[in-house]
Amino acid sequence: MRTGTRTRKRMKKIKLGFDNYSIRELGWKAPRLLDYAASLQLDSILLSDLFVYADHSERYLKDLKAKADDLGVEIQMGTGGICPSSDRRETAFGSPEEHLRLTLRIAGVLGSTAARCFLGGMDDRKDPGGIQRHIETTVELLRKVRSHALDLGVKIAVENHAGDLQARELVGLIEAAGKDYVGATVDAGNATWTLEDPVRNLEILAPYAVSSGIRDSMVWEDGRGARVQWTAMGEGCVDTEAYAEKFRALCPNVPFQLEIISGIQRSFPYLDSAFWGPYESVRASDFAAFLALAKRGSPLEAFQAPAPPEKGAAIQTYQKTQLEHSIKYCKEELGLGLK
C-alpha cells in the first residue's frame, strides 16, 4: 500500500536498518556490512550471529564500535538458539549459559542495548511437553544471567522465531523471566509461521519490543489450508502501511530492521485435524485474522536458483536485490528512516 507524500511528512521518523541474515550468502564480516549499511543511508544494522566477527576480543569489538559511530550506524547484535532443551540451540560457544554470557559481553562492548536470540523452531512445538517445556527451560536459563544483563544495561531480546512462539507465548516467556531484562525481537515474517497476522502479532509484542526483523509475506489458501511465502517488502499481502504506522506509534525507539528471506514456501494444512496438535493454544480470534490474510493473498512461485556453477552467484544477487528493493520501498513508500 502506498503512502502519499503529504501524509509521510506528518509521520514520526524512526530508524531503518537490516539484519545481516538478509544477505547471508555473501558471507560478509561485520566491517564490510557496516560499510554497506552506510552506503545505503541506513541508521542501524542487526548483526544477528556471533560468526560475523573476526574475533570476540575487546579490542576488535571496540574498533568495530568506533567504525560504526564514525559511519553513523547503530549496531544491534544477537545470536542464535539458546534454549537448552531445543535441538536448534547453538553449540559452538559452550553451554547455553556460557553462550548467553558471551553474547551479553559482546553487546556491552558494542554498545548494543539489545541482544537478540531465539528459543528454536516450529518442530519444538511437536516435542513431548510441547512448546511450554521449552519455554520453561529457556526461562530458567535467562534467570541465571539476569544480574549480568542488568549490570551491562542490555536487554535479552527473544525473537518469535521460525514458527516456535506465537506472540502471546513470547509475552508469557518474557513475563515469567522478567521484563526488566528480557524483551522481544518482533519478527513479522515468523508471525505467519505461527498462524498469525503480523499486524496483530505486532500489537501484542509492541510493549516488549526492543529489536525487530521485518519482511512481507504472501499467504494464500491452497485447498488443504494455506501456504506462506516470505517476500520483499510490498510484494506480499500484509498491510505494510498499517504495520509501519503501528510500529511507528507503538515502538518509536526500536529500529525497523529488515530481515528479508524471500522465495521459500511452507504449507499449513489446517483443514487436517492432525495438524492441530502443536497448535492447541491458538486463539480463534488470532486464527481468524490469519484466515483473513490468506483470503487476500494469491499464489506465488517459489524462487528456484539455477544449477551450479551459477547457483551461488544467483542466490547472492537475489538476496541483495530483494533487500535493496525492500529498503527503497520502506524509504519511499512507508517514509521510514532518519537519513
Side-chain angles (χ1 to χ4, degrees), residues 293-327:
L293 192 66
K295 291 187 178 298
R296 293 205 301 267
S298 55
L300 292 178
E301 292 293 326
F303 172 70
Q304 296 290 333
E310 293 84 7
K311 181 178 180 179
I315 295 174
Q316 290 178 348
T317 299
Y318 179 71
Q319 290 180 356
K320 193 165 179 283
T321 300
Q322 290 284 291
L323 174 60
E324 291 180 5
H325 167 85
S326 297
I327 291 168

Side-chain angles (χ1 to χ4, degrees), residues 9-318:
K9 287 180 179 178
R10 297 199 303 266
M11 290 177 176
K12 177 180 174 62
K13 293 290 188 177
I14 60 172
K15 293 176 181 178
L16 177 65
F18 75 96
D19 181 330
N20 67 290
Y21 192 75
S22 301
I23 50 173
R24 58 204 173 276
E25 291 300 319
L26 291 169
W28 291 350
K29 294 296 186 182
R32 189 168 183 184
L33 288 163
L34 284 171
D35 286 332
Y36 180 60
S39 75
L40 296 172
Q41 292 292 293
L42 295 174
D43 310 297
S44 70
I45 187 168
L46 173 56
L47 301 175
S48 61
D49 66 85
L50 301 188
F51 300 99
V52 78
Y53 311 104
D55 62 64
H56 299 143
S57 69
E58 186 165 344
R59 179 175 179 178
Y60 171 82
L61 295 170
K62 284 184 174 179
D63 287 346
L64 194 64
K65 172 69 164 61
K67 178 181 179 71
D69 290 345
D70 288 344
L71 293 172
V73 177
E74 174 188 341
I75 295 178
Q76 285 202 326
M77 65 79 61
T79 191
I82 62 166
C83 176
S85 55
S86 171
D87 290 339
R88 294 289 295 268
R89 68 187 180 278
E90 178 58 65
T91 60
F93 304 102
S95 69
E97 183 176 348
E98 290 169 336
H99 175 201
L100 194 48
R101 287 184 181 277
L102 172 63
T103 302
L104 289 167
R105 180 180 69 79
I106 294 170
V109 178
L110 291 176
S112 176
T113 57
R116 171 265 191 186
C117 59
F118 58 79
L119 184 154
M122 65 171 56
D123 286 344
D124 291 307
R125 303 189 68 89
K126 303 173 185 177
D127 288 344
I131 197 64
Q132 188 57 41
R133 178 173 73 91
H134 297 301
I135 290 173
E136 290 168 1
T137 59
T138 300
V139 168
E140 183 180 353
L141 169 65
L142 292 169
R143 288 173 176 164
K144 292 178 180 178
V145 302
R146 177 179 180 273
S147 61
H148 190 44
L150 290 172
D151 288 345
L152 290 168
V154 177
K155 273 204 170 182
I156 302 169
V158 183
E159 180 183 307
N160 56 306
H161 180 262
D164 61 357
L165 297 169
Q166 288 193 303
R168 298 182 197 280
E169 292 165 335
L170 179 49
V171 167
L173 183 155
I174 294 167
E175 292 281 359
K179 60 184 180 180
D180 56 337
Y181 73 106
V182 182
T185 297
V186 180
D187 191 300
N190 288 334
T192 59
W193 277 22
T194 51
L195 310 178
E196 294 177 288
D197 172 17
V199 177
R200 182 179 287 255
N201 172 275
L202 173 62
E203 290 170 344
I204 296 167
L205 289 178
Y208 306 88
V210 292
S211 188
S212 67
I214 312 299
R215 57 193 167 279
D216 203 347
S217 298
M218 182 66 79
V219 185
W220 67 94
E221 296 174 309
D222 71 351
R224 300 178 61 230
R227 294 189 72 82
V228 173
Q229 180 167 320
W230 292 332
T231 71
M233 294 295 288
E235 295 185 355
C237 60
V238 177
D239 189 340
T240 53
E241 182 176 337
Y243 193 94
E245 281 296 285
K246 284 188 180 293
F247 196 99
R248 214 184 313 257
L250 301 175
C251 313
N253 299 314
V254 178
F256 193 99
Q257 294 171 142
L258 300 172
E259 185 186 16
I260 307 302
I261 315 173
S262 300
I264 61 172
Q265 291 185 9
R266 184 171 288 274
S267 176
F268 294 87
Y270 51 72
L271 295 179
D272 182 349
S273 60
F275 168 82
W276 284 99
Y279 297 97
E280 292 177 348
S281 62
V282 174
R283 291 193 183 190
S285 58
D286 293 340
F287 184 56
F290 178 82
L291 290 180
L293 192 66
K295 291 187 178 298
R296 293 205 301 267
S298 55
L300 292 178
E301 292 293 326
F303 172 70
Q304 296 290 333
E310 293 84 7
K311 181 178 180 179
I315 295 174
Q316 290 178 348
T317 299
Y318 179 71

